[in-house]
Amino acid sequence: MNLKQLSQLLGISQTTISRALNGYPEVNAETRRKIIEAAQKTGYRPNAAAQRLATGKMGSIGLVMPTGPEHQSDVHFGEFLSGLGEASARHGFHLVIMPTDPADEEEALRGLAASGNVDGIYLAYMKKNDPRIAMMKDLSIPFMVHGRSWGVETDYPYLDVDNEAAFRDATSLLLQLGHRNIALLNGPEGYDFTYRRQRGVAAALAEHGRTLEPINVSHSFMSDEAGYVKMETLLSRTDRPTAVICASTALALGAVRALNQRGLKPGKDISIIAHDDVLPLLKPVNFSVPLTTTRSSLRAAGVRIAERLIGQIKSGQKDSLQELWKAELVVRGSTGPAQS
């Protein structure tokens, strides 16, 4: 069935049908419902080229993906991208991914916005005092931010996990279990999420009159290998920590490997907590000792961000929501009382 036939069937103009199916707010709810039901029953699918001509929109959202010889692939980004793609497909939108050297990201974003190939842009890998937010505000294109930028006024649309609260809660649990010498295997330095996670650990320690010692903090790419190397360094110390918080389950995988090689057991000899982004290939319950985690789904975040960005595009209204998700603390076997 084509648009003309659907129009004749319903006795509704082709323009109204097109606007209803493209989410324009001026079509009343009852008419929209009637049109959507008829389209589903008849199998009507709007012609993509005609939609672009009628609406002036490409039906695409874009993102710049940092890449290059020195840039490692990120399992966390892949999981987020799955959610972004899932929601985009559901709304009939395409993803336009522009690979670029991290040093050229601002120029790439400007080029993507000016290309006319996308209707909106998603920003990721937020850093402290990130200049990209001010730049995106100056560009006449809808955008959404995954995360926040410390030092930048939060007057932009974002979705973030409360990293500071999550890591404060994790540290508080360890303190309740009697741990005092607590280490943090954090993600790469300079990013907003790593800064807030460190603040969370330091805040919980401060509540108990303690400080987060610099020697107990490390920064690295969040991978199995990095977790192994960093944990080995901690275990080689005479005053090794009794508990370790990992910024991801990927880091925790390497950390546990280091423990296993030394015959040490998580939850008994050293307690471990990991931030869990609900990665299908790294499930905390499948570790030799199930991991205690602060849990938040990257895939769900990808779905939500796509929904909000596409909502801006379809409605023509700016999104001003600052959305902060709370991570769930899930206690399993990898945490136990501090050994005296």
Side-chain angles (χ1 to χ4, degrees):
M1 177 168 287
N2 60 34
L3 179 58
K4 183 178 179 180
Q5 291 169 327
L6 185 61
S7 174
Q8 291 171 342
L9 175 67
L10 292 171
I12 298 173
S13 73
Q14 296 180 40
T15 300
T16 299
I17 291 174
S18 293
R19 297 182 82 81
L21 294 176
N22 283 290
Y24 283 85
E26 62 267 25
V27 181
N28 71 59
E30 178 58 25
T31 301
R32 187 189 310 279
R33 183 195 62 76
K34 183 178 179 181
I35 290 169
I36 291 173
E37 285 183 359
Q40 290 172 341
K41 287 179 181 178
T42 60
Y44 170 72
R45 293 290 182 272
N47 179 278
Q51 278 188 308
R52 288 195 291 269
L53 287 172
T55 65
K57 294 182 173 65
M58 297 302 295
S60 301
I61 59 176
L63 58 111
V64 169
M65 184 176 72
T67 188
E70 304 302 319
H71 193 83
Q72 300 184 60
S73 60
D74 186 352
V75 64
H76 307 87
F77 180 71
E79 183 64 10
F80 177 86
L81 199 59
S82 294
L84 199 71
E86 174 191 325
S88 299
R90 188 162 57 243
H91 287 275
F93 270 64
H94 296 154
L95 287 181
V96 176
I97 301 175
M98 178 179 285
T100 190
D101 187 286
D104 300 327
E105 190 169 354
E106 286 186 58
E107 182 180 345
L109 283 166
R110 288 194 189 94
L112 186 60
S115 69
N117 292 326
V118 299
D119 304 307
I121 290 176
Y122 144 74
L123 285 183
Y125 299 103
M126 303 310 297
K127 297 184 178 180
K128 294 166 61 180
N129 300 300
D130 201 312
R132 294 176 299 163
I133 292 174
M135 183 196 74
M136 289 305 302
K137 287 181 186 177
D138 290 337
L139 299 176
S140 56
I141 188 169
F143 73 99
M144 266 290 299
V145 177
H146 184 208
R148 288 174 287 170
S149 177
W150 186 275
V152 177
E153 185 181 355
T154 53
D155 58 349
Y156 50 89
Y158 70 75
L159 183 151
D160 196 11
V161 173
D162 194 341
N163 286 291
E164 186 169 341
F167 279 62
R168 185 173 61 244
D169 290 348
T171 308
S172 295
L173 171 63
L174 294 172
L175 288 164
Q176 290 168 19
L177 291 169
H179 296 278
R180 297 295 179 264
N181 190 0
I182 299 171
L184 171 64
L185 303 189
N186 211 346
E189 198 164 13
Y191 287 97
D192 179 270
F193 77 91
T194 57
Y195 178 69
R196 293 181 193 271
R197 290 176 182 182
Q198 184 167 331
R199 279 177 58 89
V201 176
L205 287 169
E207 289 172 3
H208 288 73
R210 309 189 71 84
T211 58
L212 179 58
E213 301 297 336
I215 195 173
N216 277 347
V217 180
S218 65
H219 292 274
S220 68
F221 182 73
M222 295 187 294
S223 67
D224 165 35
E225 186 59 31
Y228 175 82
V229 170
K230 297 300 182 182
M231 181 59 96
E232 270 293 303
T233 300
L234 293 176
L235 295 177
S236 298
R237 287 167 37 187
T238 55
D239 62 337
R240 72 186 188 196
T242 63
V244 177
I245 303 174
C246 299
S248 82
T249 45
L251 283 168
L253 183 65
V256 170
R257 182 157 57 93
L259 292 181
N260 290 340
Q261 287 187 3
R262 291 176 178 249
L264 300 173
K265 186 175 181 180
K268 180 181 178 183
D269 300 301
I270 291 184
S271 285
I272 293 184
I273 298 179
H275 184 68
D276 172 29
D277 289 307
V278 195
L279 305 174
L281 299 180
L282 277 178
K283 294 185 177 180
V285 294
N286 291 341
F287 278 65
S288 55
V289 175
L291 283 179
T292 293
T293 60
T294 54
R295 182 170 62 189
S296 182
S297 170
L298 271 172
R299 189 184 188 100
V303 169
R304 176 62 176 157
I305 283 178
E307 295 277 1
R308 286 180 57 187
L309 183 54
I310 292 169
Q312 286 188 73
I313 294 164
K314 286 187 172 183
S315 69
Q317 302 296 315
K318 285 188 176 181
D319 185 334
S320 58
L321 179 63
Q322 284 85 44
E323 193 170 355
L324 191 61
W325 286 4
K326 181 172 175 56
E328 178 186 6
L329 180 61
V330 183
V331 180
R332 300 190 181 93
S334 68
T335 47
Q339 298 297 307
S340 57

